[in-house]
Amino acid sequence: MRINGAGGCFDNRIYDLDVDLAWRMALLSINEMGVTIDSVDETSYIVKFHSKKKVMQVCIQPLDETSVQVIMDSTKERLEIYSWKVESGEVEEFYEHFEKKLKEYRAFIICPSCSAKISSLVKFCPECGFPINR
């Protein structure tokens, strides 16, 4: 659900992911945005960071053992009470990085026999020949 507001944007999305994996992907995505990280709370899964124009935070909330809610909030340092300009650029950039990492992650699996990183589409491991069951 996306909410555009006075100089900012709030968006939350649900993913079928382990919370620790989502947390690592979120941190990598934030680092790729070229922002300054202000604080990282690894127990609550919250990162606060900023750019020249925006103050942002990302929170990962576990919903159950296999799904999480990823929340991204971006605001200007000062609210623009009478502005109707859409300010969702940073939120869109974060989710683009996050979902690209998710797609890359899901494209590969680890062979249960030899631990090689292989395509998720193969029927047999190209390294050791072990049959891959799905």
Side-chain angles (χ1 to χ4, degrees), residues 98-109:
F98 187 86
E99 289 173 0
K100 180 182 174 194
K101 295 202 173 315
L102 180 60
K103 185 177 179 180
E104 289 170 357
Y105 172 78
R106 289 185 172 158
F108 294 97
I109 60 172

Side-chain angles (χ1 to χ4, degrees), residues 85-97:
K85 183 181 174 188
V86 176
E87 295 282 349
S88 60
E90 292 80 8
V91 171
E92 290 172 10
E93 181 182 0
F94 169 76
Y95 282 113
E96 282 177 19
H97 287 292

Side-chain angles (χ1 to χ4, degrees), residues 12-46:
N12 69 314
R13 300 181 187 185
I14 296 174
Y15 296 94
D16 290 326
L17 278 177
D18 170 78
V19 68
D20 292 321
L21 178 59
W23 176 246
R24 289 193 307 271
M25 286 184 182
L27 291 174
L28 290 170
S29 300
I30 291 166
N31 284 326
E32 289 182 1
M33 292 175 66
V35 295
T36 302
I37 294 177
D38 300 315
S39 66
V40 178
D41 182 346
E42 296 203 14
T43 57
S44 298
Y45 302 109
I46 299 173

Side-chain angles (χ1 to χ4, degrees), residues 93-131:
E93 181 182 0
F94 169 76
Y95 282 113
E96 282 177 19
H97 287 292
F98 187 86
E99 289 173 0
K100 180 182 174 194
K101 295 202 173 315
L102 180 60
K103 185 177 179 180
E104 289 170 357
Y105 172 78
R106 289 185 172 158
F108 294 97
I109 60 172
I110 303 298
C111 173
S113 176
C114 70
S115 299
K117 183 178 175 183
I118 58 176
S119 169
S120 63
L121 302 176
V122 299
K123 295 185 185 228
F124 296 91
C125 176
E127 299 296 320
C128 70
F130 188 80

Side-chain angles (χ1 to χ4, degrees), residues 5-9 51-56 73-81 83 85-87 90:
C9 181
S51 65
K52 290 182 180 179
K53 297 181 179 182
K54 297 284 180 85
V55 177
M56 297 163 273
D73 186 26
S74 170
T75 61
K76 288 189 175 180
E77 286 190 27
R78 294 190 175 139
L79 294 178
E80 292 180 353
I81 295 172
S83 174
K85 183 181 174 188
V86 176
E87 295 282 349
E90 292 80 8

